[in-house]
Amino acid sequence: MAQSATHQTSTSNGQAKTATFRVFRGDAQGGQVQDYQVPVESGMVVLDAMHYIQGFQSPDLAVRWNCKAAKCGSCSAEVNGKPSLMCKTRLDHLDLSQPIMVQPLKTFPLIRDLVTDVSWNYEVNKTIQPFTPPDENAKDWRYFQNDVDRPQEFRKCIECFLCQDVCHVLRNHNQKDQFYGPRWMIRLASLEMHPMDRADRIPFIKEKAGIGLCNITKCCTEVCPEEIRITDNAIIPLKERVVDRYYDPMMWFLRKLGFIR
Amino acid sequence: MSVTYETHTHDVLVIGAGGAGLRAAIEVSAQGLSVGLVCKSLLGKAHTVMAEGGAAAALGNVDPQDGWQTHFKDTMKGGKFMNNWRMAELHAKQAPDRINELQQWGAVFDRTKDGKISQRAFGGHTYKRLAHVGDRTGLEMIRTLQDKGVHSGIDVYMECTVSQLLKDGDGRVNGAFGYWRESGRFVVFNAKAVILATGGTGKAWKITSNSWEYTGDGQTLAYDAGADLLDMEFIQFHPTGMVWPPGVRGILVTEGVRGEGGILRNKDGKRFMFDYLPPETKHTFAETEEECERWVKATLANEQTDARRPPELSTRDNVAKAIYYEVQAGRGSPHGGVFLDISYQDADRIKRKLPSMYHQFKELADVDITKQPMEVGPTMHYTMGGIRVNPETQMTAVPGLFAAGECAAGLHGANRLGGNSLSDLVVFGRLAGLGAVEFAKSVEGTPKADEAQVKAAAQELLAPFERTGEGPYEVHRDLQEVMQHKVGIMRTEEDLQKALVELDAIEQRVAKVSVEGSIQFNPGWHLAQDLKNMIVVSKAVAKCALERRESRGGHTRVDFPNYDEKLANVNALIRKGEDGSMQYRTEATPEMPPELKKLFEEEKK
C-alpha cells in the first residue's frame, strides 16, 4: 500500500498538478490497462478521477457508483491492488508520483472495465432463512439497546462486497459453491443474534454456508469500509456456536440423553 | 429495422426499487399477484440508502403526547398548506403501523430506555418523532425491505433502464420498454398496471445530495404518457450539505446533527438562527441559548422538559435561506458555508448517534466532528412536486399508471419536513401496491405490447449511436449550470425567463447528442437517455417557478419575497399538450373537511 502524503496541488511553476491513472479497460474477452492524465484538486478521491475521465476523455468508461459518500457500496474496485471504495480513497493518501492502478474486483466475473458481475451474492441471500419473529402480536416489542448493539454493527453493511473480494476462500480457491463469504456470515450473525428471531440457522451455517472453511485471516475485517469487526464479532462467535452444537462432547452427551435440544 | 427483445409478463410492474418501489412490490406480492421490480442500479443501492435522520411516525414512544393529529398539523404547516390534505392525513395516521411493520420484518431501530423504538427531534416536528438507527435509517429500511422482498417471490430486474411506457388502444398503460444496462439488449415488460417509484430529479442541479439515478425518469415517463405534474417549483434545498472538499460538495449532512443539538454559527461565532424564525412559529422555539441548553440536556438524557426546541430545528426552507443570507452578507465560513457544531457534546455519544457523519467528515474532509465544527451549506435535496396522484389509490390521470415516493407529489406541499420522506415511502408505497392490484384485477386478458410502439422506442434509444456531434457530459454540465444559477435557491423573473430560453437551446442539443463505444455497459449512452428526462423536469420546474410570483416553502422569489394570499390555494399543473408542447395551468387546492380544519382552530384558542 503506497501511502506517502503529497498535499500540494500545483507544481512550483504554477501549473496544475496531474496524476496518471492506469485504468483497466476491457471485458470478459480480454483487455489492457490504459493511462489517463487527470488534473488533481485538493480533497479529490479516485472516483472523482474516474468521473473526470468519463466527462472529458472516455465517456464510455464503465464504472458503478451511486452515492459518492461511502454509503451505498457501489464503487468497489482495486486501487493499487487494494480492494477499496473509490469514493473514499483520497488522492492525497496515495503516492501520486507513480501511476495509480485502478482495476475491477478480481473475485467476480468481469462485465466491462471496472464493473463486475456480483449477482452471485444476491443468489446467496435468497437461500438464507429470513428474520423469523415470534407469533405474538408484534405491536409492543420490547428489547434493549445493549441487546442489539451487536446485530446493529452487522446491519451497517453496505454490500460493497470488498470482504467477498478479499476473502481467499472465494478469491484464490473460488469455493463459492462451498462457502458464503464474510458478507453473508455477518448477515447470518445479525439474524442469529437478533433478540426477537426464533429460527435456528446453526446447521445451515455449518453445512451450506460452510463456515468451517474460514480460517480467520481477518482480511475481510481489514478492508471493511464500515469498520465492522467481521471476524471477531461475527465469524468467531458463529464458529463457537457450531462447535458447541456439533463438537462439544458434553453437549453432545446431554443432547443424546435428551436433556437439551 | 427488426427489433429483437426479451419479454416478461407480470400483473404489476414496479419501476424503481428504493423504499417506495420495494414496499409497493411487497404489497402486490402479498395480495397474490405477480410482480416485476425494475431498478437502474443493483438492488439495495437506491437513494433511500442515503437517508440518514429517521422516519417520522407519531408512535409517541418518547413524547407520549404526540399523535397523528399533531403530525398532520406539522406536515400541513411545514408544507404551507399546499399539501393534499388527504395524503397528509393518511400519512400521519398510517406511518406508525408501517414503522412497526418494518420492525416485524427485522429492522433494528435504536431503543429507548424502556425498550421501545427510540425517536429523535427533527426540524418542523413538534415532538420527538423520528424512528431512527444512528444516522443510517435509510439503509436499515431498504435492507429490511430488500430482505423481505427477496423472500416474497418478486422478480427483480437489476441494472435495467425503462425508457418508455407502453399503452393499449384504450389509452391504458400496459407495459414498459427498456434495456439492460449491462448488455444494452432490449426488454419489454407486459403488465396490467405500472407503478412508478423512481425518486427525484437532483442531478439536473450542480450542487446536490442526490445520486446519479435522480434524473426525473418517473416524472418524464408519466408526463409523456399524459399524466399531470404537480407543483414542480417546490424544490427543497437542504440547509446542510458539505461544502468542502470540492469532490464531495453537496453531500448530505443529516438534520440529525441539529436534532441531537448541533448549533449553527456564522464566522463571527453568532448563533444566527434566532434572527430567522418566522413570526408565526417563533413562540414554539427557545428564546435564549440557556433554554436551548436545557432542551439539549433533557434530550441527551431522554427526559421530558418544558424547554422549547433550539431555533436550528426550524423548517428546512427557513434554515437554508438563513444560511444563504449569512453567506451573502459576508459572514460565511472559509469555503462558503457556515459552521455546524456538535463538538461540545460527549465524543463517544456523537460517534454512536452520528457514526456516518463522524466517518464522512473524518475521511472526506479531515475534520473530527467531535473536536471541530463542520462547514455546511445548502444543497439541492428533494423534489416536493412530481406526478399528481389520487390520494387513496395513488393512480395518476393515466389509467393503470400509479406513482409513489419522491416522484409522486401531494404529501409535502411547498416544503417537506425531514423524516416525512421515509414514512412517505412505506405508507404510499403500500397504497400504490393496493391501488395497482385493484386495477390489475379489473383488467381482462393478457396485456400485449404494441409492436409499432416498441420499434419506435428502440429506434429512439439507439439514435445517439447514429449521430456525430457533442457528447452527453458537456450538455449535462451546461444544464446543471443553468439550473444551479438561474433556478436555484433564490429566483428572479429575469433569471427564470433566461433559464427557459437556455433550456430550450439545451433541449435541442439533447436531441442531437451522440455517444461513442458499444451498447455494453456504456455510461455515456446511459447519460444520453437520462438527459432526455432531466430536460423535461428542468423545464417544468422553471416554468412553474416563473408563474408562482411569491415566496412559499422551498420556492423563493427575490422579486416577490412574501406570501401572495391569492396564490395560497393554487396548485400548478403541467401536462403535455396535443402538439407536444408543455402546458401550464392552475387549479384550486382541495378543500380540507371541517373536522380537520377544526384541529387548527383549536390550536389558536
Side-chain angles (χ1 to χ4, degrees), chain B residues 398-416:
Chain B
V398 181
L401 184 63
F402 297 76
E406 189 173 351
C407 74
L411 169 61
H412 308 296
N415 174 49
R416 176 177 68 84

Side-chain angles (χ1 to χ4, degrees), chain B residues 303-528:
Chain B
E303 282 163 5
Q304 297 286 306
T305 173
D306 60 345
R308 291 165 293 179
R309 297 168 285 167
E312 280 80 6
L313 290 173
S314 179
T315 52
R316 288 178 173 178
D317 52 336
N318 272 324
V319 182
K321 274 181 260 178
I323 294 174
Y324 181 90
Y325 284 127
E326 286 297 309
V327 174
Q328 290 297 96
R331 296 190 290 268
S333 65
H335 299 101
V338 294
F339 296 105
L340 173 61
D341 191 7
I342 190 108
S343 66
Y344 67 95
Q345 293 183 9
D346 174 64
D348 285 336
R349 186 177 189 280
I350 297 172
K351 286 184 204 168
R352 197 176 70 247
K353 280 301 199 181
L354 302 162
S356 312
M357 287 304 105
Y358 174 74
H359 284 114
Q360 186 172 313
F361 273 88
K362 188 119 184 130
E363 275 146 25
L364 301 176
D366 280 335
V367 166
D368 181 345
I369 68 167
T370 68
K371 297 194 175 85
Q372 294 162 267
M374 300 159 240
E375 267 189 85
V376 295
T379 179
M380 191 292 183
H381 183 57
Y382 193 87
T383 49
M384 271 79 69
I387 306 160
R388 184 194 224 182
V389 291
N390 174 306
E392 317 278 341
T393 64
Q394 300 294 105
M395 190 154 89
T396 68
V398 181
L401 184 63
F402 297 76
E406 189 173 351
C407 74
L411 169 61
H412 308 296
N415 174 49
R416 176 177 68 84
L417 299 185
N420 268 3
S421 65
L422 286 184
S423 38
D424 172 2
L425 303 179
V426 280
V427 168
F428 292 104
R430 172 175 165 273
L431 290 180
L434 290 171
V437 163
E438 198 187 311
F439 187 91
K441 282 181 176 167
S442 74
V443 176
E444 284 172 19
T446 309
K448 172 103 181 62
D450 173 58
E451 285 298 327
Q453 288 178 43
V454 171
K455 195 172 170 185
Q459 277 169 343
E460 189 182 341
L461 205 50
L462 290 178
F465 288 107
E466 316 291 322
R467 299 190 283 250
T468 52
E470 66 179 334
Y473 289 92
E474 283 167 69
V475 182
H476 189 205
R477 284 193 291 269
D478 290 348
L479 172 67
Q480 288 182 322
E481 286 293 329
V482 174
M483 295 306 283
Q484 185 69 33
H485 298 295
K486 299 198 175 79
V487 199
I489 187 167
M490 294 289 160
R491 301 162 177 178
T492 66
E493 190 92 9
E494 196 191 345
D495 279 350
L496 292 166
Q497 296 277 18
K498 274 191 204 156
L500 281 164
V501 173
E502 287 170 29
L503 289 173
D504 278 341
I506 290 175
E507 189 175 23
Q508 301 296 317
R509 290 166 63 194
V510 170
K512 290 181 197 141
V513 147
S514 86
V515 297
E516 53 187 76
S518 76
I519 58 171
Q520 195 195 6
F521 214 114
N522 184 337
W525 182 38
H526 302 163
L527 179 60

Side-chain angles (χ1 to χ4, degrees), chain B residues 8 134 177 198 240 559:
Chain B
H8 301 276
F177 175 86
T198 57
T240 61
D559 41 358

